[in-house]
Amino acid sequence: MRIDVAHIARLSRIAMSEEERAHFEEQLARIVDYVDQLQEVDVTDVPPTAHAITRHNVFRADEPRASLTNEQALANAPDEARGYFKVPAIIEEA
Amino acid sequence: MLCYANAHELVRRMQAGELSAQEITRAVLERIDEVEGTVGAYVNLCPERALETAGAVDDARARGTDLPPLAGVPIAVKDVICMQGMPTTCSSRILENFRPPYDATVARRVIDGRMPVLGKANMDEFAMGSSTENSAFHITRNPWDTERIPGGSSGGSAAAVAAGEAILALGSDTGGSIRQPACLCGVVGLKPTYGRVSRYGLVAFASSLDQIGPITRSVRDCALLLGAISGHDPLDSTSLDEPVPDYAASLERPVSGMRIGVPAEYFTEGIDGDVRESVEAAIDQLVSLGAKRVDISLPHTKYAVATYYIVATAEASSNLARYDGVHYGYRSKSADQASDASAIIALYENTRAEGFGDEVKRRIMLGTYALSAGYYDAYYLRALRVRTLLRRDFDAAFEKVDCVACPVSPTPAFRIGEKMDDPLSMYLSDIYTISANLAGIPGISVPCGLTSQGLPVGLQLLGSPLGEEALLRLAYAFEQSTEHHTVRPELAGKGAA
């Protein structure tokens, strides 16, 4: 199985050099070949299991509670300004 | 040596006034000072904090205050569990400077349980790996043979306990990450039933598989620590609202008449001869204690690894999308001069390229692939259906038996570097442990001997949902009737040749 690693890396938001791409392509192809054995299993009428231990939806009272302060929320931010997370400009100034 | 004492003995001696929590903590810190340079079990140490907790325990005891069961027993916490104000890195560059603004529920239980926290234990980056070689910071060496890996991903936690660098430790297990390193390091490790222990504040890898659990040197300590961290948590909607039994209280109940299932599929090709022999002997030992051996079949076992590496990576690709260099964690310094949407995309892509290691990238990409247009039905949905079949295998088995006995790892600890260039062979080393995560059931690894090369082997017992008591009772009976748990590694300390 050939995998378009450039495409998958783009979807994954991971920058990648040509060399890395070739390296991952070979490894991922082997892994996908291995997991392809799932295709031989008869899963007719078998429902999917997303969670092994059955749980019903859990509700709680919709009441305001204390949360992180603005300062706490920003304490680990790589960049911040005026109480907001700061990112590179993505819209040109008018 | 105090650093090799069991928690329950230390508690008894503290209660009798023979020992203080500070003496114990100091002894373990001295041991860390002696061997940590060789083992590398920790990514961050906090000796002052540990001594402060220990001092407060001693003061409280002197005042006659009632103390929790494990008060004063020093513990290592895997660096995937958030502790407020302490670095929580997941052994990843992307979280190198991250200090959580809150405590994980399990961390809270440790703090409220007044256990001195020694530090954060090394691991495979984001708990992805079976050898702890994927840590972005350093490798951890197996205390039994420092040329070998300690297992993973909770390799730091297991190595710390095996080397006397902690009395207790917490690990997390998504596909065997508690049981396999416990096995390879000759200690006890338990993965609880999914939902038994809160995941709030456990940095997510695969949310439907992850569980926190204890790593200890004795089954009794395992029961005590499990009791301390278990229970319902309103902050985790997948946490089970079920009463927590007194696990230590039922350890000594007899095991005669308990039915032990031995699955044929776990003793086929690929298993090391010494491992097989030790595990077979352990099963015979349980039979000699009165348990009944029942040969069973778990017919979908051969599909477990494939199922796991689709389900776990799909969940990981989604969970790890949060590391974007904006809210917290590492941000790439490589500037992009564009001032349109491409600038922020480049920020994400460079941050993740520089911040994640290769194994994390592989898994994110594999999961993204399994979930991508055109492949979702063939891979992800199909894997979820096979997961149902794997779970039904266990449901059928537990109609006939009280627990399943099998190996933990097909081989003893392998050499450092041996599998690093071959991710698939690394994945296949999880073959005996991942089914329990897919089925949500509990599993324990208990030492059951050494190979001819002197490397530890573990017996794995798997139980029905919330069947931890039965597992612990069997593991305890086995442990108490054998000498395996009394053997310690010969680990040369500082200054040794």
Side-chain angles (χ1 to χ4, degrees), chain B residues 12 14 56 61 72 74 86 143 149 166 230 295 382 388 398 414 474:
Chain B
R12 188 183 49 74
M14 279 189 279
R61 199 183 306 279
M86 280 176 74
I149 57 94
S230 292
D295 289 314
R382 177 166 279 267
T388 304
F398 291 125
F414 46 88
L474 278 163

Side-chain angles (χ1 to χ4, degrees), chain B residues 208-370:
Chain B
S208 81
L209 305 167
D210 299 339
Q211 268 293 288
I212 296 170
I215 297 177
T216 62
R217 284 188 297 262
S218 71
V219 175
R220 185 175 291 279
D221 286 0
C222 181
L224 290 168
L225 186 52
L226 178 65
I229 60 172
S230 292
H232 182 242
D233 177 12
L235 297 173
D236 172 4
S237 64
T238 62
S239 137
L240 297 171
D241 195 359
E242 300 286 342
V244 179
D246 182 347
Y247 294 111
S250 58
L251 288 177
E252 294 183 27
R253 283 168 57 194
V255 299
S256 59
M258 287 182 84
R259 299 158 303 169
I260 298 171
V262 181
E265 293 82 1
Y266 282 61
F267 293 87
T268 52
E269 80 263 40
I271 182 169
D272 174 273
D274 286 357
V275 169
R276 186 193 182 112
E277 211 171 286
S278 287
V279 173
E280 291 277 10
I283 295 168
D284 290 345
Q285 177 65 18
L286 286 170
V287 170
S288 78
L289 294 171
K292 190 167 173 282
R293 177 184 171 131
V294 182
D295 289 314
I296 60 163
S297 172
L298 297 167
H300 295 92
T301 299
K302 66 176 282 208
Y303 302 111
V305 173
T307 304
Y308 176 83
Y309 278 93
I310 295 295
V311 172
T313 60
E315 293 187 24
S317 73
S318 171
N319 273 327
L320 273 66
R322 71 191 67 179
Y323 304 103
D324 58 2
V326 173
H327 301 96
Y328 51 84
Y330 173 79
R331 172 185 286 195
S332 172
K333 310 285 181 290
S334 66
D336 191 298
Q337 296 314 311
S339 54
D340 57 19
S342 71
I344 188 89
I345 305 266
L347 176 77
Y348 299 151
E349 290 187 336
N350 293 329
T351 293
R352 291 161 67 82
E354 294 158 24
F356 290 139
D358 277 4
E359 183 58 27
V360 174
K361 290 179 186 174
R362 259 192 300 275
R363 296 206 194 185
I364 290 173
M365 288 194 288
L366 187 59
T368 302
Y369 176 75

Side-chain angles (χ1 to χ4, degrees), chain A residues 27 36 40 46-47 49 86, chain B residues 303 331 362 379 385 388:
Chain A
Q27 290 178 333
D36 263 336
E40 73 193 40
V46 179
T49 294
K86 195 175 169 191
Chain B
Y303 302 111
R331 172 185 286 195
R362 259 192 300 275
Y379 289 106
R385 292 187 200 281
T388 304

